[in-house]
Amino acid sequence: MKFKNVHFNIHEIANSGQVFRWYPVDEGYIIIANHSAVLIKQKLDEITLEFLSETKENIWIEYLDLDHNYGEMITTLRGKHPYLDDAMTFGKGIRILKQDPYEMILTYIISANNNIKRITAAVTAISEAYGDFLCIYNGIKYYDFPSKSQLASVDIDTFRTLGVGYRDKYLFEFIQGDFKPDNQIKLSDNELKSNLLRLKGVGEKVANCIMLFGYYRVNQFPIDTWMKKILIQDFDVAEKEIHNFVKTYFTEYGGVAQQYLFYYKRLRNN
DNA sequence: GTCCAGGCTCTTT
DNA sequence: AAAGAGCATGGA
């Protein structure tokens, strides 16, 4: 599978903080998603996907959000603030991928008060321990993210040994509970958020991430430590006003704007 | 050694 | 309602 798209850069997506299962290899990245493995490569504006396990092409068009026009979203956001303008120019190849809600819930529970490297390590360890084998590439084996039933017998201490720290009990509770991620897809933003907030280990920020990356609610603007820094330092917003400011300022594409800002702040070197 | 990381829960005012 | 302590773990 091959395509061209000016708003698509594999390195920017891989480092945008929304994916934890894009593994760098010499040629590009191994992506584990959709119960399969692919090798994604990019030369200039041409992107290539090589399927490394059984999969379907159309599901990757959906996952990579190829039907949305990011130029249009950028146009909507342009001119609001010079810092956002710079961020959109710097990371114009970033997209919001359509990831699995169930996987996002577990992943972002792990993410709380944690760093990206350790989150990646924990998600990988859980997958290697309990997920289905997908492929071997350059001598490294890759495993699917385990299903709820595959994690059903994992106790709290075992989660701890996989590197999730004190979030072990939250993962355990979710797996033992009866939350149905697929039943939330059609709910309104408010209903979805209040359901997510009932899960242990899910607060305002983690719920926003799950909504943005797992349910494609692109109006959601997760506020983490990096966003606080940006809004205070670069947008001159008072700390107490951050939530109010975000609610109205970034419009219906707040989540997209947030991704550009996050990437810009972390990777531009300032 | 202290601070921080895509924060949250629980307890105390 | 709001503020504070505590939390696993590894890197800077």
Side-chain angles (χ1 to χ4, degrees):
Chain A
M1 174 178 166
K2 271 188 204 301
F3 59 90
K4 291 188 178 189
N5 191 319
V6 292
H7 294 286
F8 198 113
N9 183 290
I10 60 172
H11 306 292
E12 292 172 7
I13 295 169
N15 292 298
S16 65
Q18 62 177 302
V19 291
F20 299 92
R21 306 219 64 198
W22 281 44
Y23 297 99
V25 294
D26 288 344
E27 303 89 329
Y29 298 87
I30 306 283
I31 304 176
I32 308 300
N34 306 315
H35 306 298
S36 48
V38 306
L39 171 62
I40 192 167
K41 301 187 287 191
Q42 179 164 20
K43 272 195 178 160
L44 300 177
D45 62 342
E46 185 169 278
I47 296 102
T48 308
L49 265 68
E50 283 178 25
F51 300 133
L52 303 177
S53 71
E54 184 77 18
T55 190
K56 289 184 210 142
E57 187 168 309
N58 59 346
I59 204 166
W60 290 92
I61 294 170
E62 168 96 10
Y63 171 82
L64 298 171
D65 198 26
L66 294 181
D67 289 336
H68 274 95
N69 184 345
Y70 280 73
E72 216 171 282
M73 296 192 217
I74 287 176
T75 300
T76 304
L77 291 165
R78 199 164 281 288
K80 300 183 73 63
H81 194 284
Y83 192 88
L84 178 58
D85 285 342
D86 291 345
M88 293 193 294
T89 302
F90 183 76
K92 71 168 187 177
I94 292 173
R95 314 175 74 79
I96 308 288
L97 304 188
K98 292 180 174 167
Q99 302 187 71
D100 177 60
Y102 156 79
E103 181 175 337
M104 291 302 99
I105 291 170
L106 292 174
T107 300
Y108 279 93
I109 286 175
I110 296 169
S111 81
N113 196 28
N114 209 339
N115 61 61
I116 289 176
K117 187 178 176 187
R118 290 192 66 243
I119 301 162
T120 303
V123 170
T124 301
I126 291 171
S127 301
E128 287 176 348
Y130 298 102
D132 292 333
F133 172 77
L134 290 175
C135 75
I136 181 163
Y137 189 85
N138 284 350
I140 298 174
K141 293 178 176 175
Y142 292 88
Y143 295 85
D144 196 6
F145 192 84
S147 68
K148 195 174 177 187
S149 60
Q150 286 175 312
L151 295 176
S153 63
V154 181
D155 60 26
I156 295 179
D157 289 340
T158 307
F159 274 123
R160 178 66 66 96
T161 65
L162 295 167
V164 304
Y166 64 89
R167 308 137 190 107
D168 52 2
K169 51 190 176 293
Y170 305 143
L171 299 182
F172 178 79
E173 268 197 55
F174 177 78
I175 293 299
Q176 299 304 319
D178 60 357
F179 189 88
K180 299 276 191 297
D182 289 342
N183 291 354
Q184 317 290 315
I185 292 172
K186 291 181 177 170
L187 298 182
S188 70
D189 289 348
N190 287 339
E191 289 175 308
L192 172 58
K193 180 176 274 189
S194 74
N195 287 349
L196 289 171
L197 288 174
R198 274 185 223 119
L199 299 170
K200 286 288 172 57
V202 176
E204 182 74 20
K205 187 269 171 183
V206 168
N208 283 339
C209 282
I210 295 168
M211 291 174 75
L212 176 58
F213 303 129
Y215 291 94
Y216 205 71
R217 307 296 171 106
V218 292
N219 58 341
Q220 297 296 309
F221 191 105
I223 300 170
D224 66 348
T225 56
W226 295 94
M227 284 308 121
K228 281 181 189 162
K229 268 183 225 169
I230 292 172
L231 292 167
I232 293 170
Q233 291 173 8
D234 303 299
F235 284 74
D236 293 317
V237 179
E239 181 156 14
K240 291 190 71 173
E241 290 301 316
I242 287 178
H243 282 86
N244 278 330
F245 177 81
V246 160
K247 216 176 279 181
T248 55
Y249 191 79
F250 293 103
T251 72
E252 74 264 42
Y253 298 132
V256 184
Q258 196 267 8
Q259 280 301 104
Y260 294 129
L261 293 172
F262 183 83
Y263 179 79
Y264 189 51
K265 190 65 174 180
R266 293 187 70 243
L267 276 290
R268 193 191 57 157
N269 230 353
N270 70 336

